[in-house]
């Protein structure tokens, strides 16, 4: 079978010709050479910067190298025209047969088209969502869930060995507050009425914080506690540091919350392989192990930090602290590892968790965080660098996701009765569907703020990218079903269509679609390497646009219609192209975690 990535094939041709001109080029220099699609098809199909990259080391004008390179590439099979352009580029126009033959390749491997080994099976941990288990998943969690999940699918398709992971923040003050909130709902079930104000007044001597979580979602937890324990949990309130019933209530509410979170993620199509407990990490002692390693490296000391820039917090004071020398690895200040009471900081706990990932053998640690955690990146990166084995490189990367605002009729939607203060993920899925949510979350880069317009997401118009892409696949399937009625299902099998002669399929709209199909493997690799899953959604929108243009061309010119009853061979050739388009759409949708539709209703 021919090489499925045309850009890789012709890149090797470019490098081979370049080495004939400049035989002593280093590998590092060659890695900087690119072969990319041209912005304007009138300039050709591909362009290379080879002459620009090598001119300085060769001590020659880039235009001279480009001219000589074009002359050599002119004789490469599959290249119809090669010509120098601009300050030193070389544009390549490929023969139509190259794209026509690619259709056969796609049909032989179908959705596997675009699979790559560029990831070299590198063990990669992608941690995403990791929401505090203190309430329902909301829209903010949704974006990170989609970005992380699609990125994991994308990197797996590109040849990385990917694990999808969720870090359960089941330790710390927020869990204490959640436990008290669940206990309040328990008291309500038993007593019939207990307002937040009454509860806080009754237990203020024992409860370290106010009643922080008051959404209806905790009512089932209170009911479950009452059913399991009756009135027995009303006793033991005086026990220190926590009431006698505290662990039972905490375990019950965490079980409920994590069950709800898993169900919400499942409804979104997110199924993670690993759920790692923060509490288990702390109890294992691995955080202490990590700190001892840092101590042995001379990276932990007692010191006094400079006051934070800007307005000082009311509780700030200059005092000795246990600090990690994160500035040794590029951070702007050193970071505390212990609180004033001697307990570990959140950062120290996170060091332990990431050290656990390192010990599990991951070479890439990729976290998807909310944009409000941006200031945390440099310190975590420093810790991973400091803890990485000398003989094994461990890369730490963070994808930041900006906020999402749900909009209806131009107004921001804010309230959810169940959650109390926000739009839940389940609200969104129930209203517009899983696939619409996943696709829409990728219509902008993750670090850009976005509005999720409820009306637009369900509109059946070209302005709705979800509909536009699904409509392209549905149209492909409709055409193929019509052809089956005429020619029979056997002649429309992908394996048979792969043998079709496409030599006469060379109209500009047809070639435009084939050029776009040729870009799919390159898109997979570049999107995976750049960690930009939104590129897959963008590619699908472009492919859908090219296909719809081809469809419309057939309405204006009868010779371009897909099914020509008097031309069996021409029709089967076009069916081969249609099937290839549908296969690539499905391949991209698999990455996005979206189900392609067979027909629009």
């Amino acid at each position: 079978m021919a090489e499925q990535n045309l850009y890789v094939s012709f890149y090797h041709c470019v490098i081979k010709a370049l080495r004939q001109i400049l035989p002593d080029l280093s590998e590092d220099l060659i890695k900087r050479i690119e072969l990319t699609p041209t912005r304007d098809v009138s300039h050709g199909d591909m362009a290379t910067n080879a002459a620009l990259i090598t001119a300085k080391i060769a001590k020659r004008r880039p235009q001279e190298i480009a001219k000589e390179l074009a002359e050599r590439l002119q004789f490469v099979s599959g290249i119809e025209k090669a010509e120098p352009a601009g300050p030193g580029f070389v544009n390549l126009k490929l023969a139509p047969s190259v794209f026509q033959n690619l259709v056969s390749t796609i049909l032989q491997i179908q959705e596997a088209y675009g699979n790559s080994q560029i990831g070299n099976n590198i063990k990669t941990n992608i941690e995403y969502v990791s929401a505090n288990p203190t309430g329902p998943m909301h829209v903010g969690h949704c974006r990170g869930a989609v970005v992380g999940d699609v990125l994991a699918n994308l990197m797996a398709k590109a040849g990385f060995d990917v694990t999808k992971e969720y870090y359960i923040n089941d330790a710390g003050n927020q869990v204490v507050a959640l436990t008290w909130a669940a206990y309040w709902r328990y008291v309500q079930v038993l007593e019939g009425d207990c307002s937040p104000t009454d509860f806080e007044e009754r237990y203020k001597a024992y409860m370290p914080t106010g009643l922080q979580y008051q959404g209806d979602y905790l009512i089932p937890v209170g009911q479950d506690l009452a059913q399991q324990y009756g009135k027995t949990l009303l006793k033991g309130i005086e026990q220190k540091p926590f009431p006698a019933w505290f662990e039972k209530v905490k375990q019950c509410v965490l079980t409920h919350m994590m069950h709800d979170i898993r169900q919400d993620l499942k409804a979104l199509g997110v199924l993670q392989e690993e759920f790692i407990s923060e509490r288990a990490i702390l109890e294992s002692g691995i955080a202490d192990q990590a700190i001892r390693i840092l101590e042995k490296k001379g990276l932990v000391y007692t010191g006094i930090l400079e006051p934070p820039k800007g307005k000082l917090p009311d509780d700030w004071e200059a005092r000795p602290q246990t600090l990690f020398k994160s500035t040794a690895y590029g951070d702007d200040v050193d970071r505390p590892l212990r609180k004033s009471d001697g307990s570990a900081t959140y950062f120290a706990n996170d060091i332990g968790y990431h050290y656990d990932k390192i010990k599990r053998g991951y070479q890439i640690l990729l976290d998807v965080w909310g944009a409000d955690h941006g200031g945390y990146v440099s310190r975590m990166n420093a810790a991973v660098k400091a803890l990485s084995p000398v003989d094994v490189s461990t890369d730490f990367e963070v994808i930041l996701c900006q906020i999402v605002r749900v909009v209806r009729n131009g107004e921001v939607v804010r309230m959810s009765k169940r959650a109390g203060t926000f739009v839940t993920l389940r609200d969104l899925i129930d209203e517009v569907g899983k696939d619409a949510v996943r696709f829409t979350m990728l219509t902008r880069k993750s670090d850009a703020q976005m509005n999720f317009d409820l009306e637009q997401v369900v509109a059946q118009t070209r302005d709705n990218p979800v509909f536009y892409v699904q409509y392209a696949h549905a149209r492909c399937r409709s055409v193929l079903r019509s052809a089956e009625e005429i020619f029979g299902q056997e002649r429309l099998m992908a394996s048979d269509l792969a043998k079709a002669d496409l030599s006469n399929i060379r109209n500009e709209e047809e070639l435009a679609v084939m050029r776009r199909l040729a870009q799919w493997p390159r898109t997979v690799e570049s999107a995976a390497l750049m960690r930009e899953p939104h590129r897959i959604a963008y590619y699908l929108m472009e492919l859908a646009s090219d296909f719809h243009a081809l469809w419309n061309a057939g309405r204006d010119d009868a010779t371009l219609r897909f099914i020509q009853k008097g031309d069996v061979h021409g029709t089967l050739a076009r069916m081969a192209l249609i099937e290839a388009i549908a296969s690539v759409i499905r391949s991209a949708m698999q990455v996005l975690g979206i189900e392609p539709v067979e027909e629009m209703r």
Side-chain angles (χ1 to χ4, degrees), residues 267-498:
L268 187 61
V270 175
L271 297 172
Q272 287 149 304
E273 294 106 349
E274 296 286 346
F275 284 77
I276 305 298
S277 161
E278 179 184 8
R279 184 176 183 179
I281 288 288
L282 296 181
E283 291 175 350
S284 72
I286 198 166
D288 293 331
Q289 292 178 33
I291 301 303
R292 285 195 293 270
I293 291 172
L294 297 178
E295 288 173 339
K296 289 179 181 179
K297 291 186 174 184
L299 296 171
V300 177
Y301 68 101
T302 300
I304 299 176
L305 290 175
E306 293 291 324
K309 296 178 182 178
K311 185 178 179 180
L312 286 178
D314 293 336
D315 60 350
W316 186 86
E317 60 176 317
R319 58 182 175 79
Q321 291 178 283
T322 302
L323 303 173
F324 164 51
K325 195 180 295 183
S326 56
T327 51
Y329 294 91
D331 198 4
D332 52 352
V333 295
D334 292 339
R335 304 294 179 175
L337 297 176
R338 300 288 178 193
K339 300 177 185 177
S340 56
D341 62 1
S343 63
T345 61
Y346 288 119
F347 177 49
N349 294 349
D350 284 344
I351 287 176
Y353 171 47
H354 285 79
Y355 180 54
D356 178 68
K357 294 183 187 182
I358 292 171
K359 288 191 70 175
R360 283 186 274 150
Y362 293 106
Q363 294 171 264
I364 298 176
L365 313 183
L366 210 161
D367 294 357
V368 181
W369 293 348
D372 56 333
H373 288 74
Y376 210 72
V377 176
S378 58
R379 72 189 71 177
M380 201 68 252
N381 185 51
V384 171
K385 286 181 179 177
L387 290 168
S388 295
V390 175
D391 57 338
V392 179
S393 173
T394 305
D395 293 329
F396 174 74
E397 305 173 29
V398 174
I399 306 294
L400 295 177
C401 294
Q402 279 287 357
I403 62 171
V404 177
R405 299 189 308 170
V406 178
V407 175
R408 191 198 306 275
N409 298 323
E411 298 292 330
V412 176
V413 179
R414 298 185 183 280
M415 298 300 292
S416 166
K417 180 180 178 182
R418 178 170 179 266
T421 57
F422 49 79
V423 179
T424 66
L425 170 58
R426 189 57 68 93
D427 291 336
L428 203 58
I429 294 172
D430 288 346
E431 180 144 352
V432 303
K434 166 185 77 73
D435 291 348
V437 172
R438 289 182 70 105
F439 196 102
T440 303
M441 287 294 171
L442 293 168
T443 53
R444 299 200 69 186
K445 290 183 66 174
S446 61
D447 60 359
Q449 293 186 10
M450 72 175 296
N451 288 343
F452 191 104
D453 191 316
L454 292 170
E455 276 77 26
Q456 180 177 326
V457 167
V458 297
Q460 294 193 356
T461 68
R462 179 172 179 168
D463 294 331
N464 176 7
V466 186
F467 170 80
Y468 197 58
V469 169
Q470 288 283 27
Y471 195 26
H473 184 266
R475 273 183 160 176
C476 286
R477 296 299 303 144
S478 175
V479 171
L480 289 164
R481 285 194 297 269
S482 296
E484 285 179 4
E485 293 177 2
I486 299 171
F487 301 106
Q489 188 177 22
E490 297 77 12
R491 301 186 74 176
L492 272 296
M493 299 291 289
S495 56
D496 288 327
L497 290 176

Side-chain angles (χ1 to χ4, degrees), residues 19 110 238 250:
R19 286 191 183 280
Q110 297 183 287
E238 300 84 2
K250 181 173 74 171

Side-chain angles (χ1 to χ4, degrees), residues 126-129 137 144-146 148-150 152-153 162-166 258-275 425-426 434 438 591-593 595:
I126 303 184
E127 179 225 323
Y128 54 104
V129 189
M137 300 280 292
V146 172
D149 203 55
V150 175
N153 296 341
V162 176
T163 297
K164 301 178 179 182
E165 186 157 299
Y166 187 114
M258 284 309 302
H259 173 268
D260 289 351
I261 285 172
R262 287 174 185 260
Q263 291 301 112
D264 286 347
L265 290 173
K266 183 179 180 181
L268 187 61
V270 175
L271 297 172
Q272 287 149 304
E273 294 106 349
E274 296 286 346
F275 284 77
L425 170 58
R426 189 57 68 93
K434 166 185 77 73
R438 289 182 70 105
V591 174
L592 297 185
E595 294 292 328

Side-chain angles (χ1 to χ4, degrees), residues 6 87 104 121 123 135 137 143 156 173 361 395 397 483 529 555 563:
L6 295 185
S104 176
N121 213 36
K123 197 172 181 184
M137 300 280 292
R143 192 175 195 183
N173 292 333
D395 293 329
E397 305 173 29
L529 293 176
R555 294 172 59 184
I563 298 176

